[in-house]
Amino acid sequence: MVIGVIVMLECIPRKAIDHTVGKINPAKTCQPLGAMYAALGINRCLPHSHGSQGCCAYHRMALTRHFREQVLASSSSFTEGASVFGGAANLKTSIKNIFEIYNPDIIAVHTTCLSETIGDDLSTIIKQSEVPEGKVVIHANTPSYQGSHITGFSNMCRGIVSYLAESDGTQKKNRVNIIPGFVNPGDVREIRRIVEEMGVESVIFPDTSGVLDAPLTSRYEQYPDGGSRVEDIRDSGNSKLTLSLGSFASDAAASLLQEKCGVPGIPLKLPIGLKATDALIMALKEAFGVAVPRSLEIERGQVIDTLIDTHHHYQGRTVAVFGDPDTVIALTEFLLTMGMVPKYIITGTPGSLFEKQIWEMLAEVGLTDCRVKADADLLDLQLWIRESPVDLLIGTTHGKYIARAEDIPLVRVGFPIFDRAVHPLMPIVGYRGCLRLIEQISNTLLERRDRDSTDEDFELVL
């Protein structure tokens, strides 16, 4: 399979071609995977795939390969009968068996292509199911043939708010809700640390920290201690403010929380890079009247100092960026701060907002000779690179074949990363995340310079 992919990439024509039917090398995966990941961010939750076993197995496998942690989920196990007559009976039986055998506190059901095509009414089916007292079943519609895994994550976050968030009608608590978007557990931990450093109480959901980065102990726990607790999510309707980090993954849930419970929301970029992290900290400072602690000022100063110390490694270098829209938008802003030139910028998730936000940032610095595309194909990206190369490629594992075929160094950022270790634990958000990104980009370019140096130019210091 790998050999076949490499051969295919090397046989691609040198000039750009128009292809309007389907995707050849998609820069995304399907909605249910994102919904499953969001569900894993709830404490003692078992995600449930309403479809065939194969769909559930694929999504579990993809998450397991990225996080290198066992991902548990159940399935309605569709057969030919369910495909023809509907999956209501399968789901009712599944809910009953899951609570009896696995005893989660909550089941989060997401749909697949098959159940969406059949038209199963999940709200009605869930109401007709046997749900033990004190237990909860929620759902999100996630047709695989629309959107991407980011769309599915957003839909499940909206489902969480729809089923769980409540307001008691009293004065709002001096607390912030954080919807962190599709980020790694290490990023969630860093976001929480920043909020705690600011001295602000928070409810973060979904929270995959402590679930997909749980420590190794001497005892197996089907449901680790991590994740957002149901009672905290319910009480999120009584918070003073919601910060949604990333418009594609988080804004829909924040909007529903405002509509349902009257909690005002502030949309922000993912706090990747200097400006986006500043925006998160200033939003907390202004909303809660707190001072920015000296510790965060020191971290920010270290980022500024490092940018000055290392700018000659990457200043003016051209880069191609691909991945999830919220990640790419914030990352592009940081690359511009670093003085790099984002020449090609794509995401596999559809949405005109992506192109609009990217072009606004490029226009601010006078860059017009760039290519930006949402709902894009990695084939598009490779054809652009073949037409006019770049110095660096930034994106997921799926860029490694392009990097090899075009002899361009790759910095791995985002989801999925299957071929390198420890990424899910190491944050790219916040000021600490800035330092990590600078390190990765600088050292990757220096390694390429070392590789290409002649003997007389190969030095200890570059």
Side-chain angles (χ1 to χ4, degrees):
M1 179 62 184
V2 171
I3 295 174
V5 170
I6 295 173
V7 170
M8 179 192 77
L9 292 174
E10 291 177 345
C11 292
I12 288 173
R14 285 284 166 189
K15 294 185 178 180
I17 58 173
D18 291 328
H19 61 102
T20 56
V21 180
K23 293 285 187 293
I24 294 172
N25 191 9
K28 63 177 182 180
T29 188
C30 56
Q31 283 203 52
L33 183 145
M36 184 179 289
Y37 182 55
L40 289 166
I42 306 174
N43 181 253
R44 291 188 58 82
C45 176
L46 189 69
H48 182 83
S49 179
H50 187 50
S52 69
Q53 289 180 332
C55 291
C56 183
Y58 165 71
H59 304 133
R60 290 179 60 197
M61 177 194 68
L63 292 170
T64 296
R65 290 176 68 195
H66 175 81
F67 295 106
R68 305 197 182 198
E69 294 286 345
Q70 180 176 249
V71 172
L72 299 177
S74 53
S75 168
S76 293
S77 302
F78 274 29
T79 59
E80 292 85 348
S83 303
V84 174
F85 300 110
N90 292 53
L91 183 54
K92 291 175 184 178
T93 302
S94 296
I95 290 172
K96 182 175 183 296
N97 289 341
I98 289 167
F99 281 125
E100 288 180 354
I101 299 171
Y102 300 111
N103 192 33
D105 287 347
I106 178 172
I107 299 172
V109 183
H110 58 263
T111 55
T112 62
C113 301
L114 192 53
S115 55
E116 283 289 333
T117 302
I118 294 167
D120 279 343
D121 182 357
L122 262 65
S123 295
T124 300
I125 297 170
I126 290 171
K127 289 176 183 176
Q128 296 171 348
S129 300
E130 295 182 36
V131 180
E133 186 176 352
K135 305 291 186 178
V136 185
V137 180
I138 68 174
H139 92 278
N141 292 94
T142 54
S144 302
Y145 43 76
Q146 293 178 350
S148 72
H149 57 291
I150 298 301
T151 316
F153 183 93
S154 172
N155 287 342
M156 181 55 78
C157 288
R158 185 178 170 86
I160 291 169
V161 171
S162 176
Y163 275 90
L164 299 179
E166 299 173 354
S167 173
D168 58 18
T170 60
Q171 184 176 356
K172 299 298 184 183
K173 298 179 180 179
N174 198 41
R175 181 183 63 199
V176 64
N177 301 323
I178 304 283
I179 305 177
F182 196 106
V183 293
N184 284 318
D187 295 310
V188 180
R189 288 184 184 276
E190 182 63 11
I191 291 167
R192 180 187 294 106
R193 186 189 70 85
I194 291 172
V195 176
E196 289 176 350
E197 288 276 316
M198 293 291 293
V200 178
E201 184 183 351
S202 66
V203 173
I204 300 178
F205 70 93
D207 177 2
T208 54
S209 66
V211 179
L212 291 170
D213 63 350
L216 182 65
T217 64
S218 59
R219 186 176 62 179
Y220 170 73
E221 296 286 351
Q222 181 170 344
Y223 304 107
D225 290 336
S228 312
R229 303 191 182 278
V230 172
E231 56 268 29
D232 292 334
I233 299 174
R234 282 204 174 101
D235 198 40
S236 65
N238 296 312
S239 295
K240 177 182 178 180
L241 178 69
T242 300
L243 298 180
S244 56
L245 309 184
S247 54
F248 282 82
S250 303
D251 280 4
S255 296
L256 181 59
L257 192 55
Q258 181 168 349
E259 177 186 332
K260 181 182 178 183
C261 302
V263 181
I266 298 178
L268 298 172
K269 292 186 181 76
L270 274 180
I272 296 172
L274 201 61
K275 291 182 179 180
T277 303
D278 288 351
L280 170 62
I281 290 172
M282 292 308 295
L284 292 169
K285 177 180 183 294
E286 293 169 6
F288 294 92
V290 294
V292 179
R294 177 65 177 159
S295 58
L296 292 179
E297 290 180 351
I298 290 172
E299 289 178 19
R300 189 180 191 278
Q302 288 175 327
V303 174
I304 300 295
D305 182 62
T306 304
L307 287 170
I308 294 170
D309 291 343
T310 60
H311 75 276
H312 54 286
H313 299 156
Y314 44 74
Q315 177 78 31
R317 296 295 190 98
T318 56
V319 56
V321 190
F322 72 94
D324 298 338
D326 295 329
T327 300
V328 171
I329 289 169
L331 184 57
T332 298
E333 183 178 66
F334 187 45
L335 293 171
L336 292 171
T337 300
M338 294 172 67
M340 300 188 75
V341 180
K343 190 173 181 179
Y344 309 129
I345 308 159
I346 73 167
T347 183
T349 300
S352 59
L353 182 62
F354 174 81
E355 296 181 11
K356 179 178 181 293
Q357 290 191 27
I358 294 293
W359 278 118
E360 286 175 354
M361 289 189 289
L362 296 176
E364 285 182 6
V365 296
L367 289 176
T368 57
D369 189 22
C370 302
R371 287 180 171 176
V372 182
K373 190 174 182 180
D375 197 16
D377 191 335
L378 285 174
L379 175 65
D380 297 323
L381 182 62
Q382 187 176 7
L383 291 173
W384 297 345
I385 290 172
R386 287 210 163 179
E387 186 179 345
S388 179
V390 293
D391 298 312
L392 186 67
L393 183 63
I394 300 180
T396 71
T397 285
H398 291 297
K400 70 184 294 182
Y401 302 115
I402 297 175
R404 174 174 290 187
E406 306 305 324
D407 193 26
I408 298 171
L410 170 65
V411 172
R412 288 163 175 81
V413 173
F415 175 90
I417 296 175
F418 296 148
D419 62 330
R420 295 294 185 272
V422 194
H423 279 266
L425 280 72
M426 306 299 292
I428 60 171
V429 301
Y431 299 130
R432 291 180 177 178
C434 288
L435 294 175
R436 181 164 183 256
L437 288 170
I438 295 169
E439 175 203 12
Q440 287 182 287
I441 291 169
S442 293
N443 290 343
T444 299
L445 289 169
L446 286 173
E447 286 170 6
R448 173 51 57 95
R449 187 173 172 183
D450 272 341
R451 193 202 75 172
D452 295 342
S453 291
T454 59
D455 288 347
E456 58 269 25
D457 293 328
F458 187 64
E459 300 178 0
L460 286 176
V461 179
L462 290 174

